[in-house]
Amino acid sequence: RDLCTLPLVGEFDGSAARMQASMKATKDQVFSLMYSLSDGSNQNLRATRRAWGLFTITIELLQVVRVITQPGYGWTDETQSTSHWFDLVAVVRDQVRQWVPFVCFYILAALLVIVAVFDSVFIIKMTRDGVLNGVWPLKILRFLVATILTTLFTTTLEWLLYPLDCRLDEVNMAYWLHGGSSACVPWEMPDAFLSVFTILVVLVLTVLAMVVSLFAFELNPITRGSRVVNTGRVELVWTSFKVALGLLPFLSPIITPIAVSIVLSLFAARAVWDHTLRLPFQSKSCNIFRGGVHAAALWLCLASVGVSAVGGSYTEKQGMQWALLGLVPIAFLAGAAGVLLRMRIVRRFINILRAEYDRSLMEMEASSDSETWPRKGAVHTPKVQKSLAQDTNLSSPSAISAVETHRMRTGYDKFFDTAWKDRRGVRTSAD
């Protein structure tokens, strides 16, 4: 029996090795793509970039407010129409809709996702070959990352779900497919083909957004600071919240608005907890502002649970919704204050650790003699001087560089190594 199982064990080991090699190759390709995206950013415009980042976060929050205050989460049409005017993206879209139908936004969103996929594959291939002709592929992908994958992700997902959403007051997709006033039947032939394509595009958009959020968030790119190891983790939770925000209303008629609001509240609570605990951004203002955004989103989710559970007349419900919506700025300030308090607590503990470290150094220097712990200005013996010279030579930059460059660095190593001198992963024609 053991002799019969030996070939099977060998085949299993071979397949496991091939799978591990394939996973490593995929990981290297993804890291090379993210490294190319985060490389070469202009560090001289930090104040401008920070201000622009806060503006894009505000645009993102207003989209979340508009989407969450919809009837699928228990809010009234009047509340949704009011929050609609606070969303700058929705206002611009309404102005454009005076000349183009809504189906054009679906086509535009699908085309942008397809372009992002092909552009990513092209950059990975050129990076793997070691040559990237021109900087336009990177510029196009960075633009798509900054728009459809981060700031405008909520609106892009809403546009892509147009063929599947029969709750809209717009002309449905069946009108453009069959003509006339056809009913919304996304899962009947031949509409099912378009529905399957839409699901695939939404899945690709979600995967791209999560990968970008985890590895190369634009406000604080990887390898640019000490806390960036936490940025991707927190932004991944926030992206998951936005995905759930766009998809859960489809389940509202089945599991009730209260249930979908509770599920969404769990995502928002996790985002608030992770952000407050990890403080992922290098910038103090970004940490405080993003904390307020997460807290405002959590408040709206909890308010959705309340408005879905409370009954009464339409006038009473509407008055309660106005009051809950008016408390959003208070929730924002409370979240920002919580992050600021957390930062002060961390700073206090760091000061305590620094004081203890300085005290231990002073005690060690006071209790050591000149041979075991050299003091400033002390006369050392030749043996001690030789030992100090050897330690100095071993810690010199040339010696460290010789040790670091002893083995070849992969794209994975350079991605996480902030001391790597050659910051650019590939050479472009601009070089």
Side-chain angles (χ1 to χ4, degrees), residues 286-348:
C286 287
N287 274 322
I288 296 175
F289 199 82
R290 183 63 108 174
V293 169
H294 292 168
L298 176 60
W299 169 254
L300 286 173
C301 294
L302 297 177
S304 299
V305 177
V307 299
S308 301
V310 176
S313 62
Y314 180 84
T315 304
E316 294 176 351
K317 294 179 63 176
Q318 189 60 55
M320 182 184 66
Q321 292 185 17
W322 291 136
L324 294 175
L325 196 62
L327 292 176
V328 171
I330 306 299
F332 179 88
L333 295 177
V339 172
L340 183 60
L341 178 61
R342 169 67 177 169
M343 294 173 68
R344 290 181 177 177
I345 293 175
V346 171
R347 188 181 298 111
R348 181 168 59 87

Short mmCIF file of all heavy atoms in Angstrom, two decimals, residues 286-348:
data_model
loop_
_atom_site.label_atom_id
_atom_site.label_comp_id
_atom_site.label_asym_id
_atom_site.label_seq_id
_atom_site.Cartn_x
_atom_site.Cartn_y
_atom_site.Cartn_z
N CYS A 286 -5.04 64.28 7.87
CA CYS A 286 -5.72 63.20 7.17
C CYS A 286 -6.30 62.19 8.15
O CYS A 286 -7.41 61.69 7.96
CB CYS A 286 -4.76 62.51 6.20
SG CYS A 286 -4.36 63.47 4.73
N ASN A 287 -5.56 61.87 9.20
CA ASN A 287 -6.08 60.95 10.21
C ASN A 287 -7.34 61.50 10.87
O ASN A 287 -8.34 60.79 11.05
CB ASN A 287 -5.02 60.68 11.27
CG ASN A 287 -4.07 59.56 10.87
OD1 ASN A 287 -4.49 58.56 10.29
ND2 ASN A 287 -2.80 59.72 11.17
N ILE A 288 -7.29 62.77 11.26
CA ILE A 288 -8.44 63.37 11.95
C ILE A 288 -9.64 63.48 11.01
O ILE A 288 -10.78 63.14 11.38
CB ILE A 288 -8.04 64.75 12.50
CG1 ILE A 288 -6.95 64.59 13.57
CG2 ILE A 288 -9.25 65.47 13.08
CD1 ILE A 288 -6.41 65.90 14.09
N PHE A 289 -9.40 63.92 9.78
CA PHE A 289 -10.51 64.12 8.85
C PHE A 289 -11.14 62.78 8.46
O PHE A 289 -12.36 62.66 8.41
CB PHE A 289 -9.99 64.84 7.60
CG PHE A 289 -11.08 65.49 6.79
CD1 PHE A 289 -11.57 66.73 7.14
CD2 PHE A 289 -11.60 64.85 5.68
CE1 PHE A 289 -12.58 67.33 6.40
CE2 PHE A 289 -12.60 65.43 4.93
CZ PHE A 289 -13.09 66.68 5.29
N ARG A 290 -10.30 61.79 8.18
CA ARG A 290 -10.84 60.48 7.81
C ARG A 290 -11.58 59.83 8.98
O ARG A 290 -12.58 59.13 8.78
CB ARG A 290 -9.71 59.58 7.34
CG ARG A 290 -10.16 58.22 6.87
CD ARG A 290 -11.06 58.33 5.68
NE ARG A 290 -10.41 57.88 4.47
CZ ARG A 290 -11.02 57.77 3.30
NH1 ARG A 290 -12.29 58.10 3.20
NH2 ARG A 290 -10.38 57.38 2.23
N GLY A 291 -11.13 60.07 10.20
CA GLY A 291 -11.86 59.57 11.36
C GLY A 291 -13.25 60.17 11.46
O GLY A 291 -14.22 59.48 11.81
N GLY A 292 -13.37 61.47 11.14
CA GLY A 292 -14.68 62.08 11.13
C GLY A 292 -15.57 61.51 10.04
O GLY A 292 -16.79 61.34 10.24
N VAL A 293 -15.01 61.21 8.88
CA VAL A 293 -15.79 60.62 7.78
C VAL A 293 -16.34 59.26 8.19
O VAL A 293 -17.52 58.94 7.97
CB VAL A 293 -14.91 60.51 6.52
CG1 VAL A 293 -15.60 59.65 5.46
CG2 VAL A 293 -14.63 61.90 5.96
N HIS A 294 -15.50 58.42 8.79
CA HIS A 294 -15.95 57.09 9.21
C HIS A 294 -17.03 57.20 10.28
O HIS A 294 -18.00 56.41 10.27
CB HIS A 294 -14.76 56.29 9.74
CG HIS A 294 -13.79 55.93 8.68
ND1 HIS A 294 -12.54 55.41 8.96
CD2 HIS A 294 -13.85 56.00 7.32
CE1 HIS A 294 -11.89 55.19 7.83
NE2 HIS A 294 -12.66 55.55 6.83
N ALA A 295 -16.87 58.13 11.21
CA ALA A 295 -17.88 58.29 12.26
C ALA A 295 -19.20 58.78 11.68
O ALA A 295 -20.28 58.33 12.10
CB ALA A 295 -17.36 59.26 13.31
N ALA A 296 -19.16 59.69 10.71
CA ALA A 296 -20.39 60.16 10.07
C ALA A 296 -21.09 59.02 9.33
O ALA A 296 -22.33 58.90 9.37
CB ALA A 296 -20.07 61.30 9.11
N ALA A 297 -20.32 58.18 8.65
CA ALA A 297 -20.92 57.03 7.97
C ALA A 297 -21.55 56.06 8.96
O ALA A 297 -22.64 55.52 8.72
CB ALA A 297 -19.87 56.32 7.12
N LEU A 298 -20.88 55.83 10.09
CA LEU A 298 -21.45 54.95 11.12
C LEU A 298 -22.74 55.53 11.68
O LEU A 298 -23.71 54.79 11.91
CB LEU A 298 -20.42 54.73 12.23
CG LEU A 298 -20.89 53.91 13.43
CD1 LEU A 298 -21.31 52.51 12.99
CD2 LEU A 298 -19.80 53.84 14.50
N TRP A 299 -22.78 56.83 11.89
CA TRP A 299 -24.00 57.45 12.41
C TRP A 299 -25.15 57.29 11.42
O TRP A 299 -26.28 57.00 11.82
CB TRP A 299 -23.74 58.92 12.70
CG TRP A 299 -25.01 59.69 12.98
CD1 TRP A 299 -25.64 60.57 12.17
CD2 TRP A 299 -25.81 59.60 14.16
NE1 TRP A 299 -26.79 61.05 12.75
CE2 TRP A 299 -26.92 60.46 13.98
CE3 TRP A 299 -25.69 58.87 15.34
CZ2 TRP A 299 -27.89 60.60 14.95
CZ3 TRP A 299 -26.68 59.02 16.30
CH2 TRP A 299 -27.77 59.88 16.11
N LEU A 300 -24.90 57.46 10.14
CA LEU A 300 -25.96 57.29 9.15
C LEU A 300 -26.45 55.85 9.10
O LEU A 300 -27.65 55.61 8.90
CB LEU A 300 -25.46 57.73 7.78
CG LEU A 300 -25.32 59.23 7.56
CD1 LEU A 300 -24.65 59.53 6.23
CD2 LEU A 300 -26.69 59.90 7.61
N CYS A 301 -25.54 54.90 9.28
CA CYS A 301 -25.97 53.49 9.30
C CYS A 301 -26.85 53.20 10.51
O CYS A 301 -27.90 52.54 10.39
CB CYS A 301 -24.74 52.58 9.33
SG CYS A 301 -23.74 52.64 7.84
N LEU A 302 -26.44 53.69 11.68
CA LEU A 302 -27.27 53.50 12.87
C LEU A 302 -28.60 54.25 12.74
O LEU A 302 -29.65 53.75 13.19
CB LEU A 302 -26.51 53.99 14.10
CG LEU A 302 -25.22 53.22 14.43
CD1 LEU A 302 -24.53 53.85 15.63
CD2 LEU A 302 -25.51 51.76 14.69
N ALA A 303 -28.57 55.42 12.11
CA ALA A 303 -29.82 56.16 11.88
C ALA A 303 -30.73 55.39 10.92
O ALA A 303 -31.95 55.42 11.07
CB ALA A 303 -29.50 57.54 11.32
N SER A 304 -30.14 54.69 9.96
CA SER A 304 -30.95 53.88 9.04
C SER A 304 -31.66 52.76 9.78
O SER A 304 -32.81 52.42 9.46
CB SER A 304 -30.06 53.30 7.93
OG SER A 304 -29.46 54.33 7.18
N VAL A 305 -30.97 52.17 10.76
CA VAL A 305 -31.63 51.15 11.58
C VAL A 305 -32.80 51.75 12.34
O VAL A 305 -33.89 51.15 12.42
CB VAL A 305 -30.61 50.52 12.55
CG1 VAL A 305 -31.30 49.51 13.47
CG2 VAL A 305 -29.49 49.84 11.78
N GLY A 306 -32.62 52.97 12.86
CA GLY A 306 -33.68 53.61 13.61
C GLY A 306 -34.88 53.98 12.76
O GLY A 306 -36.02 53.71 13.12
N VAL A 307 -34.64 54.59 11.60
CA VAL A 307 -35.76 55.01 10.76
C VAL A 307 -36.48 53.81 10.15
O VAL A 307 -37.66 53.90 9.79
CB VAL A 307 -35.27 55.96 9.64
CG1 VAL A 307 -34.65 57.21 10.22
CG2 VAL A 307 -34.29 55.26 8.71
N SER A 308 -35.77 52.68 10.01
CA SER A 308 -36.43 51.48 9.49
C SER A 308 -37.29 50.80 10.55
O SER A 308 -38.29 50.14 10.22
CB SER A 308 -35.38 50.49 8.97
OG SER A 308 -34.60 51.06 7.94
N ALA A 309 -36.91 50.94 11.82
CA ALA A 309 -37.63 50.25 12.88
C ALA A 309 -38.78 51.06 13.46
O ALA A 309 -39.76 50.49 13.95
CB ALA A 309 -36.65 49.88 14.00
N VAL A 310 -38.67 52.39 13.41
CA VAL A 310 -39.68 53.25 14.03
C VAL A 310 -40.83 53.47 13.05
O VAL A 310 -40.63 53.75 11.86
CB VAL A 310 -39.06 54.60 14.45
CG1 VAL A 310 -40.13 55.53 15.00
CG2 VAL A 310 -37.97 54.36 15.48
N GLY A 311 -42.04 53.33 13.55
CA GLY A 311 -43.22 53.58 12.74
C GLY A 311 -43.76 54.98 12.96
O GLY A 311 -43.02 55.91 13.31
N GLY A 312 -45.06 55.14 12.79
CA GLY A 312 -45.69 56.44 12.95
C GLY A 312 -46.12 57.04 11.63
O GLY A 312 -45.97 56.43 10.55
N SER A 313 -46.68 58.23 11.71
CA SER A 313 -47.16 58.90 10.50
C SER A 313 -45.98 59.39 9.66
O SER A 313 -44.84 59.43 10.12
CB SER A 313 -48.06 60.08 10.88
OG SER A 313 -47.33 61.04 11.63
N TYR A 314 -46.32 59.76 8.42
CA TYR A 314 -45.27 60.22 7.51
C TYR A 314 -44.63 61.50 8.03
O TYR A 314 -43.41 61.68 7.93
CB TYR A 314 -45.86 60.45 6.12
CG TYR A 314 -44.85 60.94 5.11
CD1 TYR A 314 -44.02 60.05 4.43
CD2 TYR A 314 -44.71 62.31 4.84
CE1 TYR A 314 -43.08 60.50 3.52
CE2 TYR A 314 -43.78 62.77 3.92
CZ TYR A 314 -42.97 61.85 3.26
OH TYR A 314 -42.05 62.31 2.35
N THR A 315 -45.44 62.39 8.64
CA THR A 315 -44.90 63.65 9.16
C THR A 315 -43.93 63.40 10.31
O THR A 315 -42.86 64.02 10.39
CB THR A 315 -46.04 64.56 9.62
OG1 THR A 315 -46.95 64.75 8.52
CG2 THR A 315 -45.51 65.90 10.07
N GLU A 316 -44.27 62.46 11.20
CA GLU A 316 -43.40 62.17 12.32
C GLU A 316 -42.09 61.53 11.85
O GLU A 316 -41.00 61.87 12.34
CB GLU A 316 -44.12 61.25 13.30
CG GLU A 316 -45.32 61.91 13.98
CD GLU A 316 -46.07 60.93 14.86
OE1 GLU A 316 -45.74 59.71 14.78
OE2 GLU A 316 -46.96 61.36 15.61
N LYS A 317 -42.21 60.59 10.92
CA LYS A 317 -41.00 59.93 10.41
C LYS A 317 -40.09 60.91 9.69
O LYS A 317 -38.87 60.87 9.83
CB LYS A 317 -41.38 58.78 9.48
CG LYS A 317 -42.09 57.64 10.17
CD LYS A 317 -42.46 56.55 9.18
CE LYS A 317 -41.24 55.94 8.54
NZ LYS A 317 -41.59 54.81 7.64
N GLN A 318 -40.71 61.82 8.93
CA GLN A 318 -39.90 62.77 8.20
C GLN A 318 -39.21 63.75 9.14
O GLN A 318 -38.03 64.11 8.94
CB GLN A 318 -40.77 63.55 7.21
CG GLN A 318 -40.01 64.44 6.25
CD GLN A 318 -39.03 63.65 5.40
OE1 GLN A 318 -39.41 62.71 4.72
NE2 GLN A 318 -37.76 64.03 5.44
N GLY A 319 -39.90 64.16 10.20
CA GLY A 319 -39.27 65.04 11.18
C GLY A 319 -38.10 64.37 11.87
O GLY A 319 -37.05 65.00 12.10
N MET A 320 -38.26 63.09 12.21
CA MET A 320 -37.16 62.36 12.84
C MET A 320 -35.98 62.23 11.88
O MET A 320 -34.82 62.35 12.28
CB MET A 320 -37.63 60.98 13.28
CG MET A 320 -36.57 60.16 13.99
SD MET A 320 -37.11 58.49 14.42
CE MET A 320 -37.30 57.79 12.78
N GLN A 321 -36.25 62.01 10.60
CA GLN A 321 -35.17 61.88 9.63
C GLN A 321 -34.43 63.20 9.44
O GLN A 321 -33.20 63.20 9.28
CB GLN A 321 -35.73 61.38 8.29
CG GLN A 321 -36.23 59.96 8.34
CD GLN A 321 -36.68 59.44 6.99
OE1 GLN A 321 -36.36 60.01 5.96
NE2 GLN A 321 -37.43 58.35 7.00
N TRP A 322 -35.15 64.31 9.46
CA TRP A 322 -34.45 65.61 9.38
C TRP A 322 -33.52 65.80 10.57
O TRP A 322 -32.39 66.29 10.42
CB TRP A 322 -35.46 66.75 9.33
CG TRP A 322 -36.28 66.87 8.08
CD1 TRP A 322 -37.61 67.11 8.01
CD2 TRP A 322 -35.82 66.79 6.73
NE1 TRP A 322 -38.03 67.18 6.70
CE2 TRP A 322 -36.94 66.98 5.89
CE3 TRP A 322 -34.58 66.55 6.13
CZ2 TRP A 322 -36.85 66.95 4.51
CZ3 TRP A 322 -34.49 66.52 4.76
CH2 TRP A 322 -35.61 66.71 3.96
N ALA A 323 -33.99 65.39 11.77
CA ALA A 323 -33.17 65.55 12.96
C ALA A 323 -31.93 64.66 12.90
O ALA A 323 -30.81 65.08 13.22
CB ALA A 323 -33.99 65.23 14.21
N LEU A 324 -32.11 63.40 12.46
CA LEU A 324 -30.97 62.49 12.36
C LEU A 324 -29.97 62.96 11.30
O LEU A 324 -28.75 62.86 11.50
CB LEU A 324 -31.46 61.08 12.03
CG LEU A 324 -32.30 60.39 13.11
CD1 LEU A 324 -32.83 59.06 12.61
CD2 LEU A 324 -31.48 60.19 14.38
N LEU A 325 -30.47 63.46 10.21
CA LEU A 325 -29.58 63.95 9.16
C LEU A 325 -28.84 65.21 9.60
O LEU A 325 -27.68 65.43 9.22
CB LEU A 325 -30.38 64.23 7.89
CG LEU A 325 -29.60 64.38 6.59
CD1 LEU A 325 -28.86 63.08 6.25
CD2 LEU A 325 -30.53 64.75 5.43
N GLY A 326 -29.49 66.02 10.42
CA GLY A 326 -28.83 67.22 10.91
C GLY A 326 -27.72 66.96 11.92
O GLY A 326 -26.87 67.83 12.15
N LEU A 327 -27.72 65.75 12.51
CA LEU A 327 -26.68 65.40 13.48
C LEU A 327 -25.43 64.82 12.83
O LEU A 327 -24.49 64.44 13.55
CB LEU A 327 -27.24 64.40 14.50
CG LEU A 327 -28.32 64.95 15.45
CD1 LEU A 327 -28.84 63.84 16.34
CD2 LEU A 327 -27.76 66.10 16.30
N VAL A 328 -25.40 64.73 11.51
CA VAL A 328 -24.22 64.19 10.82
C VAL A 328 -22.98 65.02 11.11
O VAL A 328 -21.90 64.46 11.38
CB VAL A 328 -24.50 64.06 9.32
CG1 VAL A 328 -23.22 63.72 8.55
CG2 VAL A 328 -25.55 63.00 9.06
N PRO A 329 -23.04 66.38 11.05
CA PRO A 329 -21.83 67.15 11.41
C PRO A 329 -21.35 66.90 12.84
O PRO A 329 -20.14 66.89 13.09
CB PRO A 329 -22.26 68.61 11.20
CG PRO A 329 -23.39 68.54 10.23
CD PRO A 329 -24.10 67.27 10.55
N ILE A 330 -22.30 66.69 13.77
CA ILE A 330 -21.90 66.39 15.16
C ILE A 330 -21.17 65.05 15.22
O ILE A 330 -20.16 64.91 15.93
CB ILE A 330 -23.13 66.39 16.08
CG1 ILE A 330 -23.91 67.71 15.94
CG2 ILE A 330 -22.72 66.15 17.52
CD1 ILE A 330 -23.11 68.93 16.32
N ALA A 331 -21.67 64.06 14.47
CA ALA A 331 -20.99 62.77 14.43
C ALA A 331 -19.60 62.90 13.82
O ALA A 331 -18.65 62.25 14.26
CB ALA A 331 -21.84 61.77 13.65
N PHE A 332 -19.48 63.73 12.80
CA PHE A 332 -18.17 63.97 12.18
C PHE A 332 -17.19 64.55 13.19
O PHE A 332 -16.05 64.09 13.29
CB PHE A 332 -18.34 64.90 10.98
CG PHE A 332 -17.05 65.23 10.28
CD1 PHE A 332 -16.57 64.43 9.27
CD2 PHE A 332 -16.32 66.35 10.66
CE1 PHE A 332 -15.39 64.74 8.62
CE2 PHE A 332 -15.13 66.66 10.04
CZ PHE A 332 -14.66 65.85 9.01
N LEU A 333 -17.63 65.55 13.94
CA LEU A 333 -16.76 66.17 14.93
C LEU A 333 -16.41 65.19 16.05
O LEU A 333 -15.28 65.20 16.56
CB LEU A 333 -17.42 67.42 15.51
CG LEU A 333 -17.64 68.58 14.52
CD1 LEU A 333 -18.38 69.72 15.21
CD2 LEU A 333 -16.32 69.06 13.96
N ALA A 334 -17.37 64.34 16.43
CA ALA A 334 -17.10 63.36 17.48
C ALA A 334 -16.04 62.35 17.01
O ALA A 334 -15.14 61.98 17.77
CB ALA A 334 -18.39 62.63 17.86
N GLY A 335 -16.14 61.90 15.75
CA GLY A 335 -15.13 60.99 15.23
C GLY A 335 -13.76 61.62 15.14
O GLY A 335 -12.75 61.00 15.49
N ALA A 336 -13.72 62.88 14.70
CA ALA A 336 -12.43 63.59 14.64
C ALA A 336 -11.84 63.78 16.02
O ALA A 336 -10.62 63.63 16.23
CB ALA A 336 -12.63 64.94 13.94
N ALA A 337 -12.70 64.09 17.00
CA ALA A 337 -12.21 64.26 18.37
C ALA A 337 -11.69 62.94 18.93
O ALA A 337 -10.69 62.92 19.67
CB ALA A 337 -13.32 64.81 19.26
N GLY A 338 -12.35 61.83 18.61
CA GLY A 338 -11.88 60.53 19.07
C GLY A 338 -10.51 60.19 18.51
O GLY A 338 -9.64 59.66 19.23
N VAL A 339 -10.28 60.49 17.24
CA VAL A 339 -8.97 60.25 16.64
C VAL A 339 -7.91 61.14 17.27
O VAL A 339 -6.79 60.70 17.56
CB VAL A 339 -9.03 60.46 15.12
CG1 VAL A 339 -7.64 60.40 14.50
CG2 VAL A 339 -9.93 59.42 14.48
N LEU A 340 -8.25 62.40 17.50
CA LEU A 340 -7.30 63.31 18.13
C LEU A 340 -6.93 62.85 19.54
O LEU A 340 -5.77 62.91 19.95
CB LEU A 340 -7.89 64.72 18.17
CG LEU A 340 -6.99 65.82 18.74
CD1 LEU A 340 -5.72 65.96 17.92
CD2 LEU A 340 -7.74 67.16 18.76
N LEU A 341 -7.93 62.35 20.29
CA LEU A 341 -7.65 61.83 21.63
C LEU A 341 -6.75 60.61 21.57
O LEU A 341 -5.82 60.46 22.38
CB LEU A 341 -8.97 61.48 22.32
CG LEU A 341 -8.86 60.88 23.73
CD1 LEU A 341 -8.19 61.85 24.69
CD2 LEU A 341 -10.25 60.47 24.24
N ARG A 342 -7.00 59.75 20.60
CA ARG A 342 -6.16 58.56 20.44
C ARG A 342 -4.72 58.96 20.09
O ARG A 342 -3.76 58.37 20.62
CB ARG A 342 -6.73 57.69 19.33
CG ARG A 342 -5.84 56.55 18.87
CD ARG A 342 -5.64 55.52 19.94
NE ARG A 342 -4.83 54.42 19.44
CZ ARG A 342 -4.33 53.47 20.19
NH1 ARG A 342 -4.54 53.47 21.50
NH2 ARG A 342 -3.61 52.50 19.66
N MET A 343 -4.53 59.96 19.27
CA MET A 343 -3.20 60.43 18.91
C MET A 343 -2.48 60.99 20.13
O MET A 343 -1.27 60.77 20.31
CB MET A 343 -3.30 61.48 17.81
CG MET A 343 -3.81 60.94 16.48
SD MET A 343 -4.10 62.22 15.26
CE MET A 343 -2.43 62.76 14.94
N ARG A 344 -3.18 61.69 20.98
CA ARG A 344 -2.54 62.23 22.18
C ARG A 344 -2.14 61.12 23.14
O ARG A 344 -1.09 61.19 23.78
CB ARG A 344 -3.50 63.20 22.87
CG ARG A 344 -3.71 64.50 22.09
CD ARG A 344 -4.65 65.44 22.82
NE ARG A 344 -4.78 66.71 22.10
CZ ARG A 344 -5.58 67.70 22.48
NH1 ARG A 344 -6.32 67.55 23.58
NH2 ARG A 344 -5.64 68.81 21.78
N ILE A 345 -2.97 60.07 23.24
CA ILE A 345 -2.63 58.94 24.12
C ILE A 345 -1.38 58.24 23.61
O ILE A 345 -0.47 57.90 24.39
CB ILE A 345 -3.82 57.96 24.20
CG1 ILE A 345 -4.99 58.63 24.93
CG2 ILE A 345 -3.41 56.68 24.89
CD1 ILE A 345 -6.25 57.78 24.96
N VAL A 346 -1.31 58.02 22.29
CA VAL A 346 -0.13 57.38 21.71
C VAL A 346 1.10 58.24 21.92
O VAL A 346 2.18 57.72 22.26
CB VAL A 346 -0.38 57.10 20.21
CG1 VAL A 346 0.90 56.64 19.54
CG2 VAL A 346 -1.47 56.07 20.03
N ARG A 347 0.97 59.54 21.72
CA ARG A 347 2.11 60.43 21.91
C ARG A 347 2.58 60.41 23.37
O ARG A 347 3.79 60.46 23.64
CB ARG A 347 1.73 61.85 21.48
CG ARG A 347 2.92 62.81 21.46
CD ARG A 347 2.50 64.20 21.05
NE ARG A 347 1.95 64.22 19.70
CZ ARG A 347 0.67 64.44 19.43
NH1 ARG A 347 -0.19 64.66 20.42
NH2 ARG A 347 0.26 64.45 18.19
N ARG A 348 1.63 60.32 24.30
CA ARG A 348 2.03 60.29 25.71
C ARG A 348 2.81 59.02 26.04
O ARG A 348 3.82 59.06 26.74
CB ARG A 348 0.77 60.39 26.60
CG ARG A 348 1.06 60.39 28.09
CD ARG A 348 -0.18 60.79 28.87
NE ARG A 348 -1.27 59.88 28.62
CZ ARG A 348 -1.48 58.74 29.31
NH1 ARG A 348 -0.64 58.41 30.28
NH2 ARG A 348 -2.50 57.99 29.05
#
